[in-house]
Amino acid sequence: MNLFYLEEIDSTNKYAKEHINDLSDKTVVYTYRQTNGRGRLERKWSYLGEDNIYASIILKPSEEMKEVYSNLTQYLCVILAQTFEEYGVIPKIKWPNDIQTNSKKISGILAEGVIEHGKLEGLILGFGINLNTKKELLEQINQPATSLNIETGKIIDKEIFLKKLLERFCLMYDKFIEEGFILIKNEYIRRAGFLNKEINVKVFDNTISGIAKEITDNGALKLIDKQNKEHVLLIGDIL
Ligand code: BTN
């Protein structure tokens, strides 16, 4: 992978989007200071200091959109979980692609696609990882959050973590593009903390409540509501 470092930027995803034609496949844009990070559902991603990771992977697998690309966030999520495990923590996946440890968020992924004149110019997988943060800063976030240094009691070397993560990402990437979600299904389910629990899922402007029953072979979430109606969700966010 090519690493592209920016000292300060508003958002690595926004930068990647704006420069998509100048960035080659498998480039990673990362910054020490992200001043206006964005999250899913119009949320913002707080800047917690330069010892954390703010980065975007640019991928250009083909010129047309394929179904498997929408599972890439789940692929990155499993890779992130495996990397956290190397540090001795127990990560839990919150569908589709949040990672929590001890019920607190430790990383988030924001995927975006750039399509111009019907041609896929690139996919952007933005990720933020709380590696080294102070408790006081985390308390200012409007949801329970933690960081790897707090979970392990050790200072985490950012460059080493990023290297481990990107190496893992590359290892299975081509196979994943070929075979799809089924390749990682077991690894994903093994860490899914929401299965067989009652959950609320936000899908655009609706909220669907029910028991999370299953993750399908293509990464969708199967939910059974109180009326016993089955919902198969390909997009959404567990609230
Ligand atoms: C979420 O959990 O809602 C997703 C958060 C994604 C944050 C990362 S930080 C690097 C990249 N640039 C952004 O503006 N957002 C992503």
Side-chain angles (χ1 to χ4, degrees), residues 4-9 30-35 47 50:
F4 185 74
Y5 165 66
L6 297 159
E7 189 141 326
E8 180 176 308
I9 194 76
Y30 73 108
T31 186
Y32 276 11
R33 279 189 296 280
Q34 181 170 259
T35 54
Y47 176 66
E50 60 182 48

Side-chain angles (χ1 to χ4, degrees), residues 10-14 34 36-41 43 45 53-56 98 105 107-110 126-128:
D10 48 359
S11 151
T12 55
N13 265 40
K14 182 164 169 270
Q34 181 170 259
N36 194 17
R38 295 178 293 124
R40 290 197 313 277
L41 305 173
R43 291 190 190 124
W45 185 260
I53 294 179
Y54 315 89
S56 302
D98 268 0
K105 185 156 168 167
S107 76
I109 301 171
L110 176 66
F127 55 97

